[in-house]
Amino acid sequence: MEFLAQLVNGLSLGSIYALIALGYTMVYGICKMLNFAHGDVIMVGAYTLSIAMSTLHFPPYLAIPVSMLVCAVLGVTIERIAYKPLRQASPLAVLITAIGVSYFLQSLALLIFGSTQRKVESAINVGLIHIGDFAISGNAVVTLLLTIVLMVGLTWFINHTMTGKAMLAVSEDKGAAQLMGVNVNKTIAVTFLSGSALAAVAGVLYIASYGYVGPYTGSMPGIKAFVAAVLGGIGSVPGAMLGGILLGIIESLSKAYISTQLADAIVFGVLIVVLLVKPTGLLGKKVTEKV
Amino acid sequence: MAMLQVENLQVFYGVIQAIKGISFEVNQGEIVALIGANGAGKTTILHTVTGLVPAKAGQIQFDGKDLLKTPSHKIVSMGMAHVPEGRRIFQELSVYENLQLGAFTRRDKAEIAESLKMVYTRFPRLEERKKQIAGTLSGGEQQMLAIGRALMSKPRIILMDEPSMGLSPLFVSEIFDIIQEINKAGTTVLIVEQNAKKVLSIANRAYVLETGKIIQSGEAQSLMNDDSVKRAYLGE
Ligand SMILES: Nc1ncnc2c1ncn2[C@@H]1O[C@H](COP(=O)(O)OP(=O)(O)OP(=O)(O)O)[C@@H](O)[C@H]1O
Ligand SMILES: [Mg+2]
């Protein structure tokens, strides 16, 4: 029973990683860049949630969409200002810019809110759920369910709307997509928008279990989600989901049964082993040379 | 005035000039061919027309509208489709999804369904394989898909870049028959080919390109009988 509870924790932690990993993987798929500022979008989402709930006294059902909106706008703005001028630039220049944006967001938060962490009321408060004489965390169950709904929604959006198909077309061949009449800039904006809105939800869920937000709140989940995206195969949407869930389970079980200190080392160890065996990640596509 | 009018076009890749002041025109209803050896600049011209490559100087007018000032993604809805070099179908999407993307800018569902039916009638193989992932099609089938995808935009003019490349002789003949049929059905064609013999036999007019310049032009028939063209491009 203890094991089952740990598994639920792992699933819920993993679904948060998965939501963040989706943003990394979608952006990579379309722009072939690693958006290292993505983790910090979570931090902005968490601060927004905190302000909306404690200062403006918004109820959670309003505060969460507001946080999603702020992050979506932020994501699109970052792309416009920082990445769009670098479309033709070397990958290294883009990577350094992304790291710069990440530091910029952290410093900005530090300037506005200071370094002390701020307590955030949880937007999600579901008590323990009892099944017989066994209890699991209600928040974990809500996190898992919400994530499943979002993932199903995203998958449907990508595969069944023309905007989604345009995203797939752009990620495969920007020029050919343009010849079809697809506006590449708009499609990239939609990608940043949806990835950032998902990150906001991840932020809300993360804060619901963590309770505090500070300028660096986004970095650790950001890095873990990045690992999840690579583990699942960067560029692959199902891969990001699988990678996130696996990572959460491995982390939770390692913490419970092996060692709290070693948990992160184990997580990164798994990544290294997987990449040695399958360099493209679990569900990653074979890298084919274009002729 | 011609449907497509290119005047004194100059295109550079960095400091290298690929197109050195080229003028040509395509009239409504014609099949016009651009022929030339490897690296002559044929693909560059088509890419400049549909905005994938920027021009340094010159003019491109389509129905009197300035294409050099039109963003690439707006050109298809003006009635111009481009079957690019190497086909560039969306390998990871299904045949049907590729065709759907061909009609990306169109809104009328009934008309799109009609175009789809027309494409399936012309290429029954595509209908049989509509659920198949496009990357797993054979080379000839991929070329059919690339042409079918272009037709889904209901173009008035279609630009084709070496549609016979890499195909077996049987398929080459089939593709050229199809191009003629498409033209007879009312679509103007601008076609680029290394297979000069085949393309001159279906074209009305042709331009001969050499390292970024047009060195000869005229009726396809007379070019076919021209000694220098024969020697250089027809292997005679
Ligand atoms: N992206 C590019 N960057 C730099 N130079 C290029 C690029 N694309 C083409 N070129 C050069 O421009 C010239 C014209 O190339 P283009 O592809 O238009 O020729 P082509 O007539 O289509 O040849 P082919 O028959 O081999 O397809 C060539 O010298 C080529 O090397
Ligand atoms: Mg070419």
Side-chain angles (χ1 to χ4, degrees), chain A residues 71-130:
Chain A
C71 288
V73 171
L74 177 68
V76 173
T77 311
I78 291 173
E79 196 276 325
R80 254 292 152 80
I81 296 179
Y83 304 148
K84 194 177 163 204
L86 298 179
R87 290 269 171 82
Q88 315 297 333
S90 78
L92 191 62
V94 180
L95 187 68
I96 291 168
T97 305
I99 294 171
V101 173
S102 166
Y103 280 134
F104 173 79
L105 291 176
Q106 292 176 3
S107 311
L108 199 66
L110 195 62
L111 213 62
I112 300 175
F113 301 105
S115 59
T116 28
Q117 297 211 335
R118 189 181 161 117
K119 178 112 187 70
V120 187
E121 276 177 66
S122 174
I124 297 164
N125 279 307
V126 185
L128 290 176
I129 296 175
H130 295 271

Side-chain angles (χ1 to χ4, degrees), chain B:
Chain B
M1 182 160 174
M3 186 182 207
L4 178 67
Q5 182 100 38
V6 175
E7 256 163 275
N8 197 25
L9 185 69
Q10 299 191 37
V11 183
F12 284 74
Y13 291 110
V15 293
I16 297 165
Q17 184 164 18
I19 302 298
K20 303 166 180 164
I22 273 181
S23 303
F24 66 93
E25 59 189 36
V26 182
N27 298 303
Q28 180 147 4
E30 281 188 312
I31 297 183
V32 172
L34 297 175
I35 58 175
N38 281 112
K42 307 179 294 293
T43 299
T44 303
I45 293 176
L46 295 196
H47 280 183
T48 314
V49 171
T50 48
L52 295 180
V53 168
K56 181 91 166 192
Q59 288 231 322
I60 303 179
Q61 303 229 321
F62 176 50
D63 282 343
K65 291 191 199 85
D66 187 352
L67 283 196
L68 292 180
K69 290 208 178 73
T70 312
S72 196
H73 68 270
K74 292 216 167 124
I75 290 177
V76 66
S77 52
M78 294 167 69
M80 177 181 283
H82 183 166
V83 182
E85 184 174 61
R87 303 166 194 131
R88 291 169 72 170
I89 55 166
F90 302 109
Q91 307 264 338
E92 285 159 30
L93 301 183
S94 71
V95 167
Y96 174 66
E97 286 170 322
N98 269 275
L99 294 174
Q100 264 190 316
L101 280 162
F104 185 76
T105 57
R106 296 173 66 189
R107 288 288 161 264
D108 189 322
K109 288 220 169 79
E111 280 189 23
I112 295 174
E114 206 170 291
S115 295
L116 188 66
K117 224 170 97 188
M118 183 271 288
V119 168
Y120 283 157
T121 314
R122 189 155 269 146
F123 304 107
R125 196 89 60 105
L126 294 183
E127 183 165 26
E128 284 162 28
R129 292 167 189 259
K130 60 185 169 194
K131 296 218 173 98
Q132 194 169 322
I133 296 302
T136 63
L137 295 175
S138 76
E141 289 163 350
Q142 291 196 11
Q143 189 60 58
M144 290 177 177
L145 180 57
I147 296 174
R149 186 181 66 173
L151 291 175
M152 287 299 291
S153 68
K154 213 177 178 184
R156 285 177 296 125
I157 184 168
I158 189 162
L159 277 45
M160 299 208 190
D161 199 335
E162 306 212 35
S164 75
M165 188 159 58
L167 301 187
S168 67
L170 201 70
F171 253 135
V172 172
S173 298
E174 196 174 334
I175 290 285
F176 276 100
D177 286 346
I178 287 163
I179 294 168
Q180 264 185 310
E181 281 169 29
I182 291 170
N183 178 250
K184 287 213 182 80
T187 309
T188 307
V189 176
L190 172 61
I191 181 170
V192 154
E193 261 299 338
Q194 285 198 41
N195 192 338
K197 199 173 206 162
K198 269 274 187 225
V199 80
L200 287 177
S201 72
I202 67 162
N204 301 104
R205 292 187 303 112
Y207 295 86
V208 183
L209 215 64
E210 207 174 276
T211 53
K213 282 198 186 112
I214 288 174
I215 54 162
Q216 234 175 337
S217 65
E219 301 287 318
Q221 278 299 324
S222 59
L223 283 175
M224 227 180 331
N225 297 321
D226 183 280
D227 282 339
S228 60
V229 173
K230 269 189 186 164
R231 237 177 294 119
Y233 302 102
L234 303 176
E236 288 173 20

Side-chain angles (χ1 to χ4, degrees), chain A residues 37-224:
Chain A
H38 188 57
D40 302 293
V41 172
I42 301 164
M43 173 269 293
V44 173
Y47 271 116
T48 311
L49 184 82
S50 145
I51 292 168
M53 289 185 49
S54 340
T55 315
L56 304 172
H57 304 291
F58 282 10
Y61 63 83
L62 262 183
I64 295 174
V66 165
S67 167
M68 288 172 75
L69 187 72
V70 167
C71 288
V73 171
L74 177 68
V76 173
T77 311
I78 291 173
E79 196 276 325
R80 254 292 152 80
I81 296 179
Y83 304 148
K84 194 177 163 204
L86 298 179
R87 290 269 171 82
Q88 315 297 333
S90 78
L92 191 62
V94 180
L95 187 68
I96 291 168
T97 305
I99 294 171
V101 173
S102 166
Y103 280 134
F104 173 79
L105 291 176
Q106 292 176 3
S107 311
L108 199 66
L110 195 62
L111 213 62
I112 300 175
F113 301 105
S115 59
T116 28
Q117 297 211 335
R118 189 181 161 117
K119 178 112 187 70
V120 187
E121 276 177 66
S122 174
I124 297 164
N125 279 307
V126 185
L128 290 176
I129 296 175
H130 295 271
I131 305 167
D133 55 355
F134 166 66
I136 48 176
S137 146
N139 278 6
V141 173
V142 170
T143 299
L144 192 58
L145 289 179
L146 189 58
T147 305
I148 291 172
V149 168
L150 288 172
M151 286 184 179
V152 170
L154 181 72
T155 307
W156 182 87
F157 173 74
I158 292 176
N159 293 316
H160 294 275
T161 67
M162 280 321 281
T163 308
K165 288 181 191 188
M167 286 165 80
L168 295 174
V170 171
S171 67
E172 211 181 302
D173 186 337
K174 287 193 184 58
Q178 278 180 342
L179 294 180
M180 303 300 112
V182 173
N183 183 337
V184 169
N185 286 333
K186 209 172 100 188
T187 309
I188 291 176
V190 170
T191 306
F192 273 84
L193 186 148
S194 32
S196 305
L198 291 177
V201 177
V204 169
L205 297 171
Y206 186 74
I207 289 305
S209 55
Y210 187 69
Y212 289 89
V213 57
Y216 309 110
T217 296
S219 1
M220 209 50 196
I223 289 171
K224 295 275 180 60

Side-chain angles (χ1 to χ4, degrees), chain A residues 254-255 258-266:
Chain A
S254 309
K255 274 192 179 142
I258 303 175
S259 141
T260 315
Q261 281 88 4
L262 274 181
D264 285 346
I266 293 171

